[in-house]
Amino acid sequence: GINYIGMEGELNGCINDVHRMQHLIEQLDFPRDSSSQRVLLDDGSTPQRPTMANLRAAIAWLVQDASAGDAFFFHYSGHGGRVQTDDGFHETLCPLDMHGAGMLEDTELFETMVRPLPSGCRLTCILDACHSAGALNLPF
């Protein structure tokens, strides 16, 4: 959850969204311990902030050692964006350090979070951000 505290474009509800989502996924029998979840908030309440490097590391952690029958849950609440490249528009997630590190593009999200999953895995992904409808760059 990224509220972009003290920054231009500050949001007010993203951290609260994460706390509410934690209660929901607990009801769905996802464990809440630190070995089962990586929570990145920009209010200083978590060990890691939602920077580009930490988002990438959390995504890699999420899908590592995935096997058939596993169920994964990814939730993002923060700014989303859209950039134009030679091959069209790409939807993005905006990490806390986006002005220096850039934005996390849909193609990278697909390659790092979706493609590594073997058949038989389930990934539930909730993206609460502008332009997030195509943010996983799914081929279907």
Side-chain angles (χ1 to χ4, degrees):
I2 312 173
N3 281 345
Y4 309 90
I5 298 166
M7 299 172 67
E8 186 178 333
E10 183 172 341
L11 299 172
N12 295 309
C14 299
I15 292 170
N16 289 336
D17 291 345
V18 171
H19 293 305
R20 288 185 182 112
M21 195 60 65
Q22 284 180 299
H23 293 297
L24 173 68
I25 63 172
E26 218 176 292
Q27 292 173 347
L28 298 172
D29 293 326
F30 282 90
R32 192 169 175 170
D33 60 273
S34 62
S35 68
S36 301
Q37 287 187 23
R38 294 291 184 270
V39 178
L40 309 176
L41 303 174
D42 69 340
D43 65 355
S45 67
T46 55
Q48 295 184 325
R49 296 166 52 89
T51 63
M52 176 69 93
N54 289 340
L55 282 169
R56 284 176 170 155
I59 290 168
W61 168 85
L62 179 67
V63 300
Q64 75 183 9
D65 301 324
S67 59
D70 288 343
F72 300 100
F73 187 89
F74 181 86
H75 172 243
Y76 172 88
S77 184
H79 282 301
R82 205 169 173 223
V83 296
Q84 188 169 11
T85 64
D86 293 338
D87 63 340
F89 285 98
H90 290 274
E91 288 73 32
T92 65
L93 302 183
C94 302
L96 187 60
D97 59 347
M98 67 182 152
H99 297 296
M103 296 183 281
L104 194 55
E105 290 190 16
D106 54 5
T107 50
E108 181 177 349
L109 287 168
F110 179 80
E111 292 298 327
T112 60
M113 186 163 45
V114 178
R115 187 179 298 279
L117 297 177
S119 181
C121 280
R122 185 179 74 225
L123 170 65
T124 300
C125 185
I126 298 176
L127 304 173
D128 185 357
C130 289
H131 307 290
S132 62
L136 290 182
N137 203 38
L138 298 173
F140 43 85

